[in-house]
Amino acid sequence: MKRPTSQQRIGPRTLFRSLAWLRICAIAGQSSAVLVCALWMQLNIPLLPLLVGIGVLAVFAVFAAWRLAQPWPIREWETIVHVAVDTLILGYLLHFTGGASNPFIALLLVPIALGAAALSVGGVSAVAALAGVAYAVLLFWYVPLPVPMGGTSGGFSLHVVGMGVNFVIMALLLGFFINRLARAVRLQQLEVQRVRERALRDEGILAIATQAAGAAHELNTPLSTMRTLLPELRREHVGDAALADDLALLEGQVDRCRTILREMVAFGKAQLSQEPEQITLASFIHGCLERFQLLRPEAELTLTQDKDAARIMLRTPPGLRHALLNLLNNAADASAMNQSQAVALTARRDGGWLELIVSDQGPGFSATGELAVLGQSQKQTGLGIGLALAEATAERLEGELTTSNSEHGAQMTLRLPLAVIAAP
C-alpha cells in the first residue's frame, strides 16, 4: 500500500504562501476600487498617493514570491514581518480614504484570522497588537472621504454599499484561505497518524527480532547436540540402508539450520556496522534468486531485467536482500492458492528510481488493499509478516512499497531511490 505523503504542513510557510496569494488579490481589488472611485464615481480622492501605496505593495509581492521559491526555511518572525508590511500598507491606504470610517477597515482582521491557524500564541498576539495599533491610529489620523453628489444621504448610501462589498470580500477571503489552512491541518494529522502507525509496527518488528535472537541462541545448543549424535547413529546402523538415508537427510537439515543461524548472526553484525555491500544489480538479483530457489524449489520463477539496470552498482544495505526474498516468498504462497507455481520478478530503472516488481498468479489483494497487521498470518490472501518487514525496509531506504492487482493476480512494487542505494 502506498504510504500517504504530504508536502503541505501547517505552520509559517503555509501562512506565508497564503499571504502571497492574498497579496495578489489585494493588489487587484485595491487597484479596481481606486480606479472606479476616481474615474467612474468622480470622487475627489488622492489618486497619486493611493497608486504609490499599491505600487509599493506590488513590489513587495514580487519579493515575497521570490522568497517563497527559495529553499531556505521560513521562520515565524519572517512571516510576522510580512504581515506587518501588509498591515502598514493597508493602513496607509485607509489613511487617505477615511480611516476607521472606511468600511474596508475590517480587512485588518484577515491577517489575525489566518495567523491564528498557523502561528504560535506569541505570533498571533503580535499580529493582533499591530492590527489594533493601526486601527487606533486610523481613528484620529486620516483624510476624510469626499462626500459624493447628493449630500449626506448619498454618502450614507455609499457607506452601505461599501459595507456590502466588504462583507462579500471578507466571506470569500476567509472561506478560501482558512479552508486551505484547515486542509493543511488535516494533512498533517494524517501524517502524524502514519508516523504513529509506523512506530507501532517498528515496535512489533523489534519485539519479533528480540524473540528471534533469543531463539537463535537457544537453538544453537540442541543443534550442536544433534549434529554430534547423528554421525554416531549412522555408524551404529551401518547395515540399515533406509535408516542411513533418513539420518543423512536429518544431518543435512541440521546443517541447514546451523547455516541459517550463522546468516542471522552475520546479518545482525552487518546491520550494526552499517557497511553496505558493493555489488551490481545483476549479481544481487542472481544471489537472491539462488537463495529463493533453495527455499522454494517448486516455484517457477521468471526474471525480466533491463540491461541498463543490470549494470547499476549498488551499495546494498543490510535488509534489502531479505525484503526481496520476503516479497518472492509471499508471491509463491499467493500463487499456490490458485494451484499455480508461477512467480515473476521485473527489475528496471525508472529515472532516479530502481523498481523491483514481484507478480504472482494468486487471488489478488482485497478491495481495501491494506497491508497485513504485523504478527497476524494472512496466508490465505498472500500477506503476512514478510510484507510488513519489506515495507519497513523500503521506508528506511526512503523508498516505498506499493501493492496493486494485475490481470492474473497481485503485484508488489518496491521503489528505491538510486541516490540512496546506488554507488556514486
Side-chain angles (χ1 to χ4, degrees):
M1 178 182 179
K2 188 174 182 178
R3 57 184 182 178
T5 57
S6 172
Q7 300 296 333
Q8 186 180 28
R9 290 180 172 84
I10 193 69
R13 187 172 187 86
T14 304
L15 178 58
F16 199 98
R17 187 183 297 109
S18 298
L19 288 174
W21 285 106
L22 182 61
R23 198 172 292 117
I24 295 175
C25 296
I27 294 172
Q30 292 165 358
S31 302
S32 302
V34 169
L35 294 177
V36 167
C37 292
L39 303 179
W40 182 58
M41 301 181 65
Q42 299 295 321
L43 293 179
N44 187 22
I45 59 175
L47 183 61
L48 182 59
L50 293 177
L51 292 179
V52 169
I54 296 174
V56 172
L57 184 62
V59 173
F60 184 72
V62 174
F63 167 76
W66 171 84
R67 174 63 183 90
L68 190 61
Q70 303 307 309
W72 319 318
I74 296 177
R75 307 297 182 184
E76 185 177 72
W77 66 265
E78 189 176 358
T79 304
I80 295 175
V81 169
H82 280 242
V83 173
V85 173
D86 292 334
T87 303
L88 291 175
I89 295 178
L90 178 60
Y92 170 83
L93 297 176
L94 291 173
H95 165 74
F96 288 101
T97 53
S101 62
N102 191 318
F104 293 100
I105 190 71
L107 291 175
L108 291 173
L109 296 174
V110 175
I112 302 176
L114 297 179
L119 299 178
S120 64
V121 176
V124 176
S125 301
V127 172
L130 181 62
V133 170
Y135 187 88
V137 171
L138 291 173
L139 282 173
F140 305 101
W141 186 46
Y142 61 91
V143 176
L145 278 172
V147 179
M149 297 181 60
T152 307
S153 60
F156 179 76
S157 300
L158 180 61
H159 186 80
V160 172
V161 172
M163 292 177 61
V165 175
N166 179 64
F167 176 81
V168 173
I169 293 175
M170 290 282 290
L172 292 176
L173 291 180
L174 293 179
F176 177 73
F177 287 104
I178 290 183
N179 178 70
R180 284 170 57 90
L181 294 175
R183 180 175 178 271
V185 172
R186 291 192 297 269
L187 291 176
Q188 186 179 26
Q189 290 175 346
L190 291 176
E191 182 75 8
V192 171
Q193 180 181 359
R194 188 192 69 82
V195 171
R196 185 183 298 113
E197 293 175 352
R198 178 180 177 182
L200 292 175
R201 185 204 59 201
D202 290 345
E203 288 181 4
I205 292 175
L206 180 60
I208 293 175
T210 303
Q211 294 292 332
H217 179 72
E218 294 176 3
L219 284 174
N220 188 56
T221 300
L223 287 175
S224 299
T225 303
M226 286 188 287
R227 193 168 183 272
T228 303
L229 293 177
L230 285 173
E232 296 181 2
L233 290 175
R234 292 179 64 184
R235 286 194 297 268
E236 293 178 0
H237 301 81
V238 177
D240 194 338
L243 181 59
D245 293 339
D246 293 339
L247 292 176
L249 177 61
L250 288 176
E251 192 172 358
Q253 295 298 318
V254 169
D255 290 337
R256 181 181 177 185
C257 292
R258 287 173 58 86
T259 301
I260 293 175
L261 292 180
R262 285 194 296 268
E263 289 181 354
M264 289 178 61
V265 174
F267 172 74
K269 291 181 179 179
Q271 189 75 18
L272 291 175
S273 64
Q274 295 295 322
E275 295 180 358
E277 179 186 7
Q278 297 279 351
I279 190 174
T280 62
L281 177 62
S283 300
F284 169 75
I285 292 179
H286 179 71
C288 290
L289 297 187
E290 281 188 343
R291 176 71 181 276
F292 176 69
Q293 292 290 358
L294 290 176
L295 295 175
R296 306 296 293 265
E298 76 281 1
E300 300 174 0
L301 183 63
T302 303
L303 173 63
T304 303
Q305 186 174 203
D306 291 345
K307 293 182 179 180
D308 294 337
R311 292 191 294 267
I312 296 176
M313 182 64 68
L314 300 179
R315 298 171 61 250
T316 309
L320 181 57
R321 179 176 286 105
H322 289 269
L324 182 56
L325 288 174
N326 285 331
L327 295 180
L328 293 171
N329 193 53
N330 275 286
D333 291 335
S335 295
M337 294 288 297
N338 287 347
Q339 288 73 45
S340 174
Q341 305 297 336
V343 176
L345 172 62
T346 301
R348 66 187 184 189
R349 179 173 183 172
D350 183 16
W353 294 80
L354 173 64
E355 290 187 347
L356 301 175
I357 305 172
V358 179
S359 305
D360 60 57
Q361 294 189 3
F365 291 101
S366 61
T368 59
E370 295 183 354
L371 294 179
V373 178
L374 185 63
Q376 293 183 1
S377 178
Q378 298 181 0
K379 288 299 183 180
Q380 64 272 20
T381 58
L383 294 175
I385 186 177
L387 195 54
L389 294 174
E391 188 196 24
T393 301
E395 290 183 352
R396 189 169 62 253
L397 299 177
E398 302 179 15
E400 61 183 9
L401 177 65
T402 61
T403 60
S404 61
N405 288 324
S406 61
E407 182 180 357
H408 302 290
Q411 180 174 287
M412 293 170 286
T413 303
L414 182 61
R415 283 174 52 87
L416 301 172
L418 292 174
V420 176
I421 65 171

